[in-house]
Amino acid sequence: MNKKILGGGALLAALALVVTGCAGTSGDSGDSGGGTDDGPISVGFAQTGSESGWRSANTESMKTAFSEENGFDLTFNAADNDPAAQIAAVRSFINQGVDAIVIAPIVEDGWDDVLQEAADAGIPVILEDRTVTSSDELFASWVGLDFKKEGVTAGEWAAETFGDTPTNMVVLEGTTGSAPANDRAEGFAEAIEGTAITTLDSQTGNFTRADGKTVMEGFLQKYGSDIDLLYAHNDDMALGAIDAIEAAGLVPGVDIKIVSIDAVKDGMQALVDGKINYIVECNPLLGELAAGLVTDVLAGTDVDKAYYVEDQSFTQEQAAEVIDSRLY
Ligand code: AHR
């Protein structure tokens, strides 16, 4: 852990472009390297799994940022969305004595013990993407998205689109207990309060295309063409639902309006094709920011506890304009 960091201050330059809400990292240059006099920085990254297009883009961004060329020795673990397996992976990083641990926590709860163990071992923990309910004294920093704001933005679109028209909605929730599922539900509910939108049903589709399809098939069997609106907590579940809606002889985007979150390539294509009506972005390209945080924390540079990356949102027309220039 007593490594002299050569590439400190990487975070500030990257953050200046996309992050709002916080400042306070020190550092001098835009050097993105993380190497030290003693060799590469060893980092254990505990990823959630590989549930979605968003997750693939996030994993790629992390692996690129924590590359050997950038001065890192990365141990990658994807826990297949099993919270116990993810905690076991973090424990194994602690036993290995890595220099730093990065976690994309599958669920918010249950982190106190293992985070305390990392602290006791003197290993700093950086969270990326999702948050935890543990005290923020147990981790050095977090970088990610404002999931509640994403839910509010999706809900505001629904409120503006349906206004006072009685509207039956079904919801495909993300992984139960995860920060994005909790916060996107809360934000959306706040935004549609006082409208004539009624929730017929709301179930988890685990952020996957397969489960989105299966759960939507169940909704269609139960409520048929009474469904006016689908709110999907991510694009992959919306895409699975689109298959189910088409198989039921209905037209997605027309018979059933769809609003989802992520803005990954396939989702944006479905938006351009008129099968989804509105998408709120969730930017997965967090690798450079997370690597900058690791470098700065190990260098002893002051960092804030939370860095929010800004999201956009897209109508069908806006999606058509930007789809070719999207990075994920
Ligand atoms: O935590 C971010 C969410 O996780 C994304 O919206 C979803 O697609 C992913 O799997």
Side-chain angles (χ1 to χ4, degrees):
M1 282 298 294
N2 288 328
K3 293 190 168 184
K4 183 174 170 226
I5 306 300
L6 299 177
L11 182 61
L12 194 59
L15 289 176
L17 293 174
V18 288
V19 177
T20 58
C22 299
T25 57
S26 62
D28 31 36
S29 72
D31 182 349
S32 63
T36 75
D37 279 352
D38 304 329
I41 295 175
S42 59
V43 173
F45 173 39
Q47 178 61 289
T48 60
S50 53
E51 68 278 2
S52 64
W54 190 99
R55 191 58 55 191
S56 305
N58 179 250
T59 293
E60 197 184 321
S61 168
M62 294 291 284
K63 285 185 173 173
T64 303
F66 286 95
S67 64
E68 268 178 44
E69 303 79 67
N70 286 344
F72 294 98
D73 173 14
L74 179 69
T75 306
F76 176 82
N77 179 278
D80 202 17
N81 283 287
D82 174 348
Q86 191 176 40
I87 287 173
V90 173
R91 279 214 170 93
S92 122
F93 295 150
I94 297 171
N95 291 335
Q96 283 168 45
V98 294
D99 296 319
I101 295 173
V102 182
I103 310 172
I106 297 166
V107 290
E108 290 192 283
D109 292 341
W111 287 98
D112 292 3
D113 290 350
V114 75
L115 291 180
Q116 187 60 59
E117 289 163 35
D120 292 346
I123 302 175
V125 172
I126 310 297
L127 305 178
E128 72 106 23
D129 166 29
R130 300 184 185 175
T131 49
V132 295
T133 50
S134 300
S135 157
D136 67 8
E137 285 174 15
L138 290 175
F139 58 91
S141 189
W142 165 88
V143 61
L145 299 309
D146 188 337
F147 297 132
K148 181 164 177 196
K149 196 167 155 204
E150 292 169 353
V152 168
T153 307
E156 283 172 351
W157 173 83
E160 275 162 30
T161 303
F162 294 96
D164 296 334
T165 312
T167 302
N168 292 322
M169 176 177 70
V170 291
V171 181
L172 288 169
E173 303 162 15
T175 304
T176 304
S178 69
N182 292 341
D183 297 352
R184 287 171 186 171
E186 193 183 326
F188 194 95
E190 272 179 31
I192 63 163
E193 213 176 292
T195 68
I197 299 171
T198 311
T199 305
L200 284 180
D201 218 326
S202 182
Q203 287 178 34
T204 185
N206 295 310
F207 282 131
T208 70
R209 211 175 279 213
D211 288 2
K213 183 174 183 218
T214 305
V215 176
M216 190 69 201
E217 283 166 354
F219 288 160
L220 286 161
Q221 270 167 20
K222 206 161 165 194
Y223 308 105
S225 56
D226 284 349
I227 303 169
D228 304 306
L229 170 65
L230 165 66
Y231 170 35
H233 286 184
N234 80 345
D235 288 350
D236 277 79
M237 292 189 294
L239 291 162
I242 285 170
D243 289 346
I245 292 166
E246 287 176 335
L250 297 169
V251 183
V254 178
D255 295 327
I256 298 178
K257 300 275 196 294
I258 302 178
V259 55
S260 69
I261 296 176
D262 273 358
V264 292
K265 267 260 154 60
D266 291 356
M268 290 293 272
Q269 189 58 58
L271 186 60
V272 172
D273 295 343
K275 296 182 177 189
I276 294 179
N277 302 83
Y278 193 70
I279 294 185
V280 180
E281 183 182 46
C282 180
N283 190 332
L285 306 181
L286 304 174
E288 238 184 276
L289 302 171
L293 275 171
V294 166
T295 305
D296 281 358
V297 167
L298 288 173
T301 304
D302 281 345
V303 296
D304 284 344
K305 282 291 174 185
Y307 292 93
Y308 286 92
V309 175
E310 278 195 84
D311 287 321
Q312 313 172 56
S313 52
F314 303 96
T315 61
Q316 292 170 334
E317 296 71 27
Q318 289 164 336
E321 280 167 28
V322 301
I323 191 161
D324 290 335
S325 60
R326 300 278 297 163
L327 296 175
Y328 53 89

